[in-house]
Each structure stands twice: as structure tokens, then as C-alpha cells.
Amino acid sequence: MSESNDQIKIKDSSDNSVESNVGPSDLRIKRKKIALNVLMQMFFAVLIFIFINYISYGNYQRWDLSFAKKYSVSEDTEAYLNDQLDGKVTLTMAFLKSSKIRNQLKILLEQYANIARGKIIFEEFDPVINKNKALEISDRYKTTIDQSCLFIEVEGRIKKLTENDLLDDKGLTFTGEDAITSAMLAATESKPKTVYLVAGKGKLKEVNGRSADKEILSLSTRHFFELKELTLGNITKIPEDADSLLIINPETDFSLSEVTVLTKYWEQRRGSMVLMLNPQTKMPNFYPFLRSLGIRVDNNYRILFSETTGIGGTQKVYSVQSKLLGGNPITSSDEGAITTFSGQTCPISVAENNEGLASKGIMAVPILAADPKFWGDLDHTEPYPKRSENDMIPDPNPIYVGAMVEKGGSEDSAVKIESSRMVVIGNSTLLDPIPTRLNVELVMNSINWTLDREERLGINPTNVISFRIGMSPEKYKTLFYLIVCIFPAIAFCFGIAVWSARRN
């Protein structure tokens, strides 16, 4: 190639000369254009990067792809954090690295902070590794950190949750959202909620040291309400601090004076009750009060179905399978789920859409319906069950086993009006001796609804699942060589081959 008069002559392979008018000055111009083009690309790339981060910062979004949705919060918690949380909240997580729920809890608390948008300050540390931080938190909250725990501070009020408080009593179910939201609600309430367990009406069943009252006591600790006992025969009015009454398995009827006390509590001020009734107890004094509210307990019947077995022939099955109904705040979050009541259950008739009750501001709604294979047997003492024309047949209407009543409430859920609330269930065995998760949730949703804690409804616990892959030492060795040696070597060779092809 030779250069003459700012022209470049290029010879091709056939010795034919090709003249080009491209000189050194033109090459310099093209280099300037290329450099300018690269600079513009880099400038716009940085601009796009900044723009994307700016948009993502103001429009944070995440997706929970886990099967159990264990990294998500319920819609009720999200609504509480967005609309009802007013003061600043500090969540301090002092958990050991070895804790099996540490990562799940951390992600949950980060979700709380992201939803609250500046209302929640979240920090976490390992008290063993960061001893200075542990001493600082101990001095701030006047407590000792002797195990993994979570501190919830709301406007100077402190709630402390240990790792055991975030699990069920078996240690298999993570109840973090349940416990954390309850603690935040308890810290923001003007006064602690108080639930009175009406005593003196019967003995609660106890198996292996467990009974319904002990289960309620454990739940009161987890859900931050105070549980007290109350004997109606010694009083003329319900205590002023009673936010709700809990009546479980009454084996005797209330006296007329006791019914008067309960009626005044219901009518004169905000009165709330949760009733788990014993179908075998005749209550001619108390049941008329329920009928005046649109609830009729038909305890002449027992809900059962007949099952034919090869050994014993036809037998009665009293363990009622009940479906949770929608359209109400107590069971809507588990609509369609099936729970089982052990022991005997009696049907409950509900006066829905009753104009006479509506004129008094009373609304009765069913919340539980028995499976269609069950019927209400009037002659349930017979050795062999059979349907008769006097029985309660679930056709076309279902047989209800649970209902809720509200007096003085508003149809608009956004409007907060103090109202009297009641939940009635035709079975008393929901919490004994070892309750199912769904039955415990049903009872707690009922109590929280009567306590006017709608934010606590519908928060479901998730199972803590550990996966372990069993492999022989030979397979572990093969996996080690694949990950550490072979796969990186393949990627390196592929990179060399691409580089060599581009150079040529």
C-alpha cells in the first residue's frame, strides 16, 4: 500500500490497484465521530440507569413466588399499615444467625417497613456477634437479651416477642405476622383489651394437662389481651373494663337475674360475647334472649350422619364437618375451608334479613354451615340413626352451626361506630383437648371481632418447612467437582473461544 498526494492506493489479491480518496484527516474525523458516539452511548446508559432507579425507588414492587406465600402479608395487615398506623414504629430484631426463622422473619419485617413507607424503622443484628449493639438495646429498653427476640416500640411503648412467641406451641408453624400485628395493635391501643371468661357454669374437659381455659390463657398472651374470670352470680352488672365475655361449655342454665345482667350489658353500652354452647344443656332462661337477637339454638336436635362399616354395621358420626362461609368479617379470609367439630353439635337457625330486627339495628348472619351429608336428628338417642319427617334436612337450605350478631353497627365498613357484637357456635369443643389450627383461628377471629380488632382478622400462619436432600458421599463428591471445577472450566473455555473468534 503506497500513499501519494493524500490518496491511498490499495492492492487487492489479484494485484489490481484500487484508489481511495480516504486520507489521514478523514480517518481522524471518523475516530472523533466514533469517540463521540461512544460517549453519547455511555451518557444515555448512565441516564437510563439513574432514571430506572428513580422510578423503582418511588414505585417499589415485589412478588412472592413461594408456594405457601410465606413472604407476603395479608390484605388486612397491609390496610392497617397503610391507613391506620399513625405514629412511628421501631422494629429491632435481635436474632441469632442459627435461628431457623431468622431469614423468614427478616423478610417479613422488611415487607412491613416497605408497606408503611417511612412509618416503620427496621434494624437487625446478631446479639452474639454485635455485643455493643446488644448492650445499647438492653439499656434502651431496660431488659436483657438472653435469647432471640424482637422489640416493637410504638411511641415509647415497648412490646417484646421471643422466638417462641413467633411460633405455635409445637414449633412448626410460623405465626410472625399474627404476633407482630397484635403487638403493634396492643401498643397503640389507649387501654389494654380485657376478656372475661364466665366461670361457674361447668367444668372444662382436660386431657394431658390441656383444656380450653388454658388454651385461651395462652392465646391471650400471644394476642395481647388480658383474661380474667367472672362469676355472674355474685354481681349485679358486668365490670366496666369488660371488652368481651367468653362463655364456654355451660352445663347449667343462667338464672333470670344473670340473664338480666347479660341483657343490660348487651343493651345499655357496647357489649360483646363469644358463646360456645353445650348442645346437651337445656337453657330455657337464656335461649329466649338469643331468640330476641335472631338466633335460635335447636338443641333438641343433634347434627350427625350415618355410616355403614363392615364391622359394626351402621353407626352415628357426630364429628361435624363445617364449611366456613363468606360475606362476614370473621370467616371471609378462609371462605370455603372445612373444619371439624368433635363431640356433639346442635343446629342454629338464623333470622337473616329480618325487617323487625333491622328496625332495631340488629343484624344476624350465619358463619358456619354443616356439610350436606349431615342432618339434624330429632331422635338422636336411637341406637341406629335414620332420617324421619321430623328431622332437619339440609335441603334446600343448609344447616347452620355458627352465627354472628351485631347491634348498632354500620353497613359501611369504613364507618366506625361502637356496636354490640356476639358470636354463637353450637359446639363447645373447639379448643379442647388439642385444637386444630383452623378452630383456633376461628375462635381468635371471633374474639378479635368482638374486641373491635378487625385489623387482626384473616391473618393466617404459615408452616416452617425445612427441606433436606439425602445424598451419598460419592454423589456429594461428584456435585462438588461439577460446581467447583467442571462448570467454571466450561465457562472459561467458552469465553476463550469467543474471544479468539472475535480476534480473527
Side-chain angles (χ1 to χ4, degrees), residues 1 10 17 61 111 126 179 193 214 216 225 229 235 285 299 312 336 352 365 381 402 408 438 459 465 480 482 485 497:
M1 181 175 65
I10 303 174
S17 297
Q61 184 65 40
Q111 184 77 331
D126 187 324
K193 297 292 186 180
K214 294 180 180 178
I216 285 291
F225 62 87
E229 281 196 357
I235 60 175
N285 294 333
N299 64 341
E352 299 180 74
V365 177
T381 57
L438 203 56
I459 300 179
I465 304 173
F480 171 79
L482 282 173
C485 301

Side-chain angles (χ1 to χ4, degrees), residues 108-138:
L108 177 64
L109 296 177
E110 288 175 345
Q111 184 77 331
Y112 269 66
N114 288 325
I115 293 173
R117 297 183 181 278
K119 298 177 183 178
I120 292 180
I121 300 173
F122 169 59
E123 56 182 352
E124 59 95 15
F125 67 97
D126 187 324
V128 173
I129 298 175
N130 195 340
K131 296 185 180 297
N132 292 332
K133 184 67 174 179
L135 289 174
E136 177 192 337
I137 296 300
S138 297

